[in-house]
Amino acid sequence: MSGSNVVSVVGHSHSPLWGVTPPRTPSETGARFVEATERASGLLSSLDVTAAVVFGPDHFRFAFYDLMPRFCIGVREVIGAGDYNSPGGQLPVASDLARHIHARVCDDGFDPSISLRMGVDHGIAQSYGAMFPALDVPVVAIMVNTSAPPLPSIRRCHEFGRSVGAAVAAFEGQERVAVIGSGGLSHWPPRLEVQEDTPDERHRDFLLGDRSQLAEREAGRQQRVADMGEANGAVNPDWDEWVLDCIQTGDLEALLRLTEEEIERDGGNGGQEIRTWVAAVGAYAGSGAATAATEFDRVYEPVPRWITGMGALVGVRTDITNTAGKGDS
């Protein structure tokens, strides 16, 4: 094969509490998901992935309502917040590929923001670190707004992803790229949404961009999420499995028609993060990889104590040689 290729597509759930309270035994809830994640990491290693394009959300640690992009691409520095034991500090960046993607998607009529110093929290860093524990694979971090309405439509996220995939395929060189959607599935985390009548003016100022509050708020934020886990957060396994079915079969139309209100009803406000999966699937298709047969490794496990339905769906082109073993679905 000539040029750069997308060799794998990964849909991967993140959860703050996974990083804080991992399963202690193989029989504990969450262990099957962790095993599937480790299997996916080994598979990507066997594919000699040289760059990762990670679509993921931000949870008001990088982007705020003073200037909230629908999409943002980090092109020079990507810095992990280190929240919930996710990777912190400088992450390696595929700068040339990132700049190329930004230019090409703009040519296609999209207008993503660009960041020369992009902060990422567990929404991107947790799945990236889980797939590449050595943190040695350069990343193109693409923030998708899933937390601060108005959100991009599901269909727009898919179209944007297709443009990203076409850009990867047009990139000169021999990159072997994994596209990863980090988010969801169903969950109902604490809301961070500004309203005109918000009674707590200091909280409103924070959401409007008062970043000086970040450090002092972090401990309280993490404790609120932990308390939800102790109370066993709400999860909707039926909806989660339906989303996975749509993505795995490629029958996306019903998914692309979903409204914010429908997702909120069935998947929670955290379910809005399926936009990242849809964007990754779009990138896989837009790169031309979907024209080849794809084998999937799929695991789903509802984990109420992590307040999230946890899914790992890994697709690999069958014309790409790899040595990793396949796991049970």
Side-chain angles (χ1 to χ4, degrees):
M1 293 177 293
S2 61
S4 297
N5 293 276
V6 172
V7 299
S8 179
V9 58
V10 179
H12 190 257
S13 295
H14 62 251
S15 168
L17 294 174
W18 168 31
V20 176
T21 59
R24 293 163 294 183
T25 68
S27 61
E28 189 172 358
T29 305
R32 288 183 60 245
F33 169 79
V34 172
E35 180 185 5
T37 297
E38 293 171 350
R39 192 162 61 240
S41 175
L43 177 60
L44 296 184
S45 177
S46 77
L47 291 172
D48 296 325
V49 169
T50 60
V53 175
V54 183
F55 299 89
D58 175 74
H59 305 87
F60 287 93
R61 288 184 176 87
F62 166 70
F64 293 79
Y65 269 119
D66 55 351
L67 185 60
M68 180 61 68
R70 290 193 164 191
F71 307 104
C72 183
I73 302 175
V75 301
R76 191 172 73 182
E77 295 180 40
V78 172
I79 304 170
D83 58 317
Y84 304 108
N85 294 327
S86 64
Q90 294 277 354
L91 301 178
V93 179
S95 294
D96 291 343
L97 177 59
R99 290 184 181 276
H100 168 81
I101 289 172
H102 187 269
R104 289 296 294 254
V105 298
C106 288
D107 288 344
D108 282 350
F110 296 91
D111 299 294
S113 298
I114 194 169
S115 176
L116 301 185
R117 180 172 290 164
M118 186 175 189
V120 296
D121 67 5
H122 70 278
I124 287 177
Q126 188 180 69
S127 290
Y128 167 77
M131 293 300 119
F132 309 105
L135 308 181
D136 57 349
V137 173
V139 64
V140 178
I142 303 181
M143 190 208 91
V144 180
N145 177 21
T146 70
S147 303
L151 308 180
S153 70
I154 294 285
R155 191 176 300 277
R156 186 65 169 171
C157 291
H158 186 254
E159 292 168 348
F160 174 70
R162 289 187 68 94
S163 180
V164 170
V168 171
F171 184 67
E172 294 182 359
Q174 299 292 322
E175 299 289 357
R176 295 168 65 86
V177 179
V179 291
I180 300 169
S182 172
L185 296 158
S186 65
H187 60 301
W188 281 258
R191 284 191 173 278
L192 290 173
E193 185 176 340
V194 68
Q195 302 291 344
E196 291 303 318
D197 58 352
T198 299
D200 184 344
E201 291 190 9
R202 194 160 187 271
H203 180 66
R204 185 169 179 269
D205 286 345
F206 171 70
L207 298 180
L208 290 174
D210 183 4
R211 292 162 177 81
S212 67
Q213 299 185 41
L214 269 171
E216 66 181 86
R217 283 179 172 270
E218 194 62 39
R221 184 192 295 196
Q222 296 194 28
Q223 186 59 52
R224 285 195 301 275
V225 175
D227 290 344
M228 288 186 68
E230 287 295 324
N232 283 338
V235 177
N236 186 349
D238 290 341
W239 187 78
D240 292 342
E241 295 278 18
W242 174 75
V243 170
L244 290 169
D245 287 343
C246 291
I247 291 174
Q248 184 172 353
T249 63
D251 187 8
L252 296 176
E253 187 55 35
L255 202 57
L256 300 183
R257 289 198 303 264
L258 288 177
T259 64
E260 284 186 39
E261 294 73 21
E262 289 169 334
I263 295 172
E264 176 89 17
R265 180 193 67 207
D266 297 326
N269 55 310
Q272 306 290 353
E273 292 177 353
I274 64 170
R275 286 166 170 77
T276 66
W277 290 51
V278 169
V281 170
Y284 188 68
S287 72
T291 59
T294 302
E295 293 182 353
F296 285 96
D297 183 5
R298 168 176 167 174
V299 167
Y300 172 74
E301 188 174 10
V303 189
R305 68 189 180 90
W306 291 349
I307 68 168
T308 306
M310 305 297 290
L313 181 63
V314 184
V316 178
R317 291 172 54 174
T318 58
D319 60 337
I320 299 292
T321 300
N322 72 85
T323 58
K326 296 289 189 298
D328 296 332
S329 298

